Structure formats: C-alpha cells, structure tokens
Amino acid sequence: MPAGPAVDPRGPRFAAILTTIVLAVVLVTQWWPLLALQTVVFAIGAFVGLKPAPYSIVYRTLVAPRLGPTDEREDAAPLRFAQAVGFVFALAGTVGFATGITPLGIVATAFALFAAFLNAAFNFCLGCEMYLLIKRFSPARAS
C-alpha cells in the first residue's frame, strides 16, 4: 500500500487519454487558449491535488461507477509530480504560442503530448518514473 494518499490507477490513465486528445488538438490548431486551459488542469492536479482536478472529477462521476470497484491503488505523489512536469511544459507552450514564439509552443506541447500519450497508450507515466528516480537518488532526509 502506498505511503501517501492512494488513487485508483484507472483515473490517471483516463486523464492521460483526455490530455492526449487536448494536446493533439492544440498541436494541430496551435490554439493557445485551449493549451492555457490544459495548463490550469495540470496546475490543479499538481498544486491543489488530484481529487479536485477536473479530469479526476469527470472520471469519478461518469466513468468509475460504470467500471466497478478495484482494490488496486497507487501513490498520488508521483502522479502529482507528473502533473507539475506537465504544467511546466504546457505553460512554456502557452507562452510560446501566445507571444508568437511558435517553435517554443510546438516543441513544449509536443513533449507534453508525448508523455501523455505514453501514459494513455502504454500505461507508462514518464513523470512518475522521473519522480521515482529523483527520490531514489536523493540523499535521505533526517527526521
């Protein structure tokens, strides 16, 4: 069982699917207001929590009741870190598109899309893996 808050792992994968769709649309249209909204979604997940995040609410109210319960749980900390990484790339992309630095917008959005797609298609959370590596190689803190 995870040390911190635990979440149904199907929820983050559902969120990754929605994120992949949104980021693909942004990459094709270069419509930065949609990317700005995705940036807010990432910010809520990273800095407020996964439970109040918009895609989590959609999952809990519309999807999870149709799937049935699961005993599987995963720690929320790596997921929140992944949301923070997504936030940084989405923010950079939003700034790039909004200020006319289109290559920055495209590259930052493409990186975020790649990570979201890995999670959506292969259940591989790149940000979560980064979190675990950082935690593994960080010096232990004294209590």
Side-chain angles (χ1 to χ4, degrees):
M1 185 71 157
V7 297
D8 176 348
R10 300 172 298 180
R13 189 152 189 206
F14 173 78
I17 292 167
L18 294 181
T19 301
T20 297
I21 293 166
V22 168
L23 294 174
V25 168
V26 168
L27 210 51
V28 169
T29 65
Q30 298 182 10
W31 191 48
W32 70 264
L34 181 58
L35 185 56
L37 288 174
Q38 180 61 51
T39 304
V40 171
V41 170
F42 280 137
I44 294 169
F47 307 118
V48 179
L50 297 174
K51 191 170 186 173
Y55 298 160
S56 295
I57 293 169
V58 172
Y59 174 77
R60 277 194 322 276
T61 57
L62 301 177
V63 179
R66 287 163 177 74
L67 296 178
T70 180
D71 292 334
E72 191 178 351
R73 294 284 180 256
E74 62 184 31
D75 188 4
L79 298 166
R80 288 187 68 177
F81 179 83
Q83 292 288 294
V85 173
F87 168 77
V88 169
F89 280 99
L91 182 61
T94 300
V95 169
F97 285 129
T99 60
I101 308 171
T102 305
L104 172 62
I106 291 170
V107 170
T109 303
F111 275 120
L113 174 59
F114 176 72
F117 177 76
L118 282 176
N119 197 352
F122 304 109
N123 201 25
F124 181 81
C125 177
L126 189 58
C128 299
E129 294 300 322
M130 288 172 47
Y131 173 88
L132 296 172
L133 279 172
I134 291 167
K135 190 172 179 181
R136 181 177 180 186
F137 292 109
S138 295
R141 292 184 173 180
S143 299

